[in-house]
Amino acid sequence: MYKTLSDIQASMAKEGIDHIWVSSPENHRYSTGFGNPDGRVIIGMDEAVMLADFRYFEEAARVAPEGVRAVQPEGRFISGYVKEYFSDRGKVRIGYEEGHLTCAEFDALKAAVPEAEFVPAGKIFSRLRQIKTPEEIGRIKEAQRITDAAFSHILTVLSGNMTELDVVAELEYYMKKNGADAISFDTIAVSGKNSSSPHKTPENRRLEPGFLTMDFGAMVDGYHADMTRTVVIGRADSEMRRVYETVLRAQEAVLDVISEGMKNHEMDRIARDIIDGAGYKGMFGHSLGHGVGLEIHEDPGLYTRDDGLVLTAGNVVTVEPGIYISGMYGCRIEDMVVITPGGAEDITLSSKELIEI
């Protein structure tokens, strides 16, 4: 049986859940090994059933692993197949993804299986997905390898004559031409005053002299990479250098100590104390990092709040401090880190020296 599926079923047994209705594309892939953006999965204690329409059924049936069965229902998934599937199963507890399932789909499920008890089950997936297998880490590393290569490439073509959208197009084209299945998220490339907004949408305007922040990533087999590098268009003045060096010092202080068993919130505190202490208090307005895997933002996070969590071998997290000075500019540096038994591995290999274009 597909190992991930057996892990999910073991968690279901502990929670007293008979079936789970999987509605998110990410957990569809996680539970079956097959990515279907419009499919659904019913996970039972003996098997999982992939519901696929004509567009995806042939491939789903071809790649379905042991313990997973592909079905192409006639008519609607819920009012047709689901209603029949549960018609003779009596009173069952059905788990659902409370962070993804729409109200309309939830209402349809309750109407199709009125005798069932529906219970939130998203924590089963989030808990399991935090600990990546060696195979998952391999896919993430490959995605990051392509992302690093894209940064090396962009440095060979960057010029002040490009627009922000030119930079976006160049990065995304390179990643897709060099092994990425897709991009991890909408690429950010913001320059000058635009860089003071951490997630500003790139514009069709020439690169403004000053900081150029590029946040981008490749996707391989559904697994994401995420990195940020900030370079300078033109020449950096003394204050820009101080900002950059402070961000880099904050990141390196975390990378020096991050490891299995460290408290998540302590990582944020280490970076934030350095930035605040350098006179930039209030200018680092987001958390230090987040988990990365089948989603670009997933558990565990490196947040300010103390939620009692500690880092565990198999976690993959970003370390991305930044300083953003409103009306002037911003700077962020981001690496991805794999937590290993007794330590950690920084899998982002791109240079972090201050580069002037």
Side-chain angles (χ1 to χ4, degrees):
M1 181 176 288
Y2 183 56
K3 183 178 185 301
T4 299
L5 179 59
S6 63
D7 291 339
I8 295 170
Q9 290 164 331
S11 293
M12 290 167 58
K14 291 179 182 178
E15 299 287 338
I17 295 173
D18 302 304
H19 298 81
I20 295 181
W21 175 255
V22 179
S23 55
S24 71
E26 294 80 15
N27 286 331
H28 188 298
R29 183 186 288 269
Y30 186 71
S31 57
T32 69
F34 176 60
N36 180 351
D38 292 327
R40 297 293 186 268
V41 182
I42 302 171
I43 301 177
M45 295 306 298
D46 299 320
E47 67 168 358
V49 179
M50 281 193 286
L51 308 185
D53 63 26
F54 178 81
R55 297 170 297 166
Y56 297 98
F57 174 70
E58 183 176 357
E59 180 68 5
R62 186 182 69 81
V63 302
E66 180 186 355
V68 179
R69 179 165 56 93
V71 172
Q72 182 183 341
E74 295 182 7
R76 295 185 178 275
F77 285 176
I78 296 177
S79 61
Y81 185 85
V82 171
K83 184 175 183 178
E84 179 182 351
Y85 183 87
F86 286 103
S87 62
D88 61 352
R89 294 177 184 267
K91 183 173 177 58
V92 292
R93 298 186 84 222
I94 301 176
Y96 61 92
E97 296 179 75
E98 65 274 21
H100 182 270
L101 187 65
T102 65
C103 293
E105 189 167 325
F106 191 34
D107 288 343
L109 284 170
K110 289 189 290 185
V113 197
E115 69 279 9
E117 177 188 359
F118 288 89
V119 295
K123 63 184 177 183
I124 288 177
F125 294 102
S126 62
R127 185 168 58 238
L128 290 172
R129 281 174 44 190
Q130 286 186 50
I131 311 299
K132 272 63 177 181
T133 65
E135 292 76 18
E136 289 178 297
I137 291 172
R139 293 176 187 135
I140 293 170
K141 285 184 174 181
E142 175 61 14
Q144 182 55 46
R145 184 195 65 77
I146 295 167
T147 306
D148 277 320
F151 181 66
S152 296
H153 167 73
I154 200 68
L155 294 179
T156 68
V157 299
L158 262 180
S159 78
N161 293 322
M162 298 174 74
T163 68
E164 291 177 348
L165 288 178
D166 286 337
V167 177
V168 169
E170 193 71 36
L171 285 167
E172 294 184 354
Y173 181 71
Y174 182 91
M175 289 187 286
K176 290 180 179 179
K177 284 285 288 183
N178 287 275
D181 300 335
I183 57 171
S184 285
F185 51 90
D186 290 339
T187 300
I188 298 169
V190 287
S191 62
K193 292 183 176 66
N194 279 357
S195 64
S196 69
S197 179
H199 276 202
K200 190 177 190 318
T201 301
E203 298 177 356
N204 188 26
R205 69 180 188 106
R206 285 182 61 176
L207 298 178
E208 185 179 325
F211 283 134
L212 166 64
T213 297
M214 296 170 285
D215 188 346
F216 57 103
M219 183 189 296
V220 172
D221 290 338
Y223 287 83
H224 297 72
D226 188 4
M227 70 173 278
T228 304
R229 288 294 183 267
T230 299
V231 301
V232 177
I233 303 299
R235 294 292 174 263
D237 61 27
S238 59
E239 179 57 19
M240 292 173 67
R241 288 184 179 277
R242 185 170 183 271
V243 166
Y244 190 91
E245 289 165 2
T246 302
V247 172
L248 181 57
R249 184 157 51 91
Q251 192 203 40
E252 289 179 336
V254 175
L255 294 176
D256 284 344
V257 300
I258 191 168
S259 64
E260 183 182 32
M262 295 293 289
K263 294 180 179 179
N264 293 37
H265 82 280
E266 278 293 306
M267 302 300 94
D268 184 281
R269 185 195 59 75
I270 289 169
R272 201 167 301 276
D273 283 353
I274 290 172
I275 290 172
D276 291 353
Y280 300 106
K281 189 170 184 176
M283 300 178 190
F284 175 24
H286 56 77
S287 63
L288 177 66
H290 55 85
V292 182
L294 285 168
E295 293 179 271
I296 192 59
H297 294 101
E298 60 182 47
D299 291 335
L302 305 181
Y303 304 124
T304 304
R305 68 179 184 271
D306 182 2
D307 50 15
L309 295 178
V310 297
L311 291 164
T312 304
N315 291 161
V316 179
V317 295
T318 65
V319 177
E320 49 179 307
I323 293 174
Y324 312 93
I325 304 174
S326 181
M328 292 183 62
Y329 45 65
C331 170
R332 181 169 66 259
I333 305 171
E334 176 185 21
D335 286 15
M336 286 211 305
V337 175
V338 177
I339 306 301
T340 60
E345 177 187 3
D346 186 346
I347 63 171
T348 305
L349 303 181
S350 293
S351 171
K352 287 181 273 194
E353 66 176 306
L354 180 58
I355 296 171
E356 297 172 317
I357 304 298

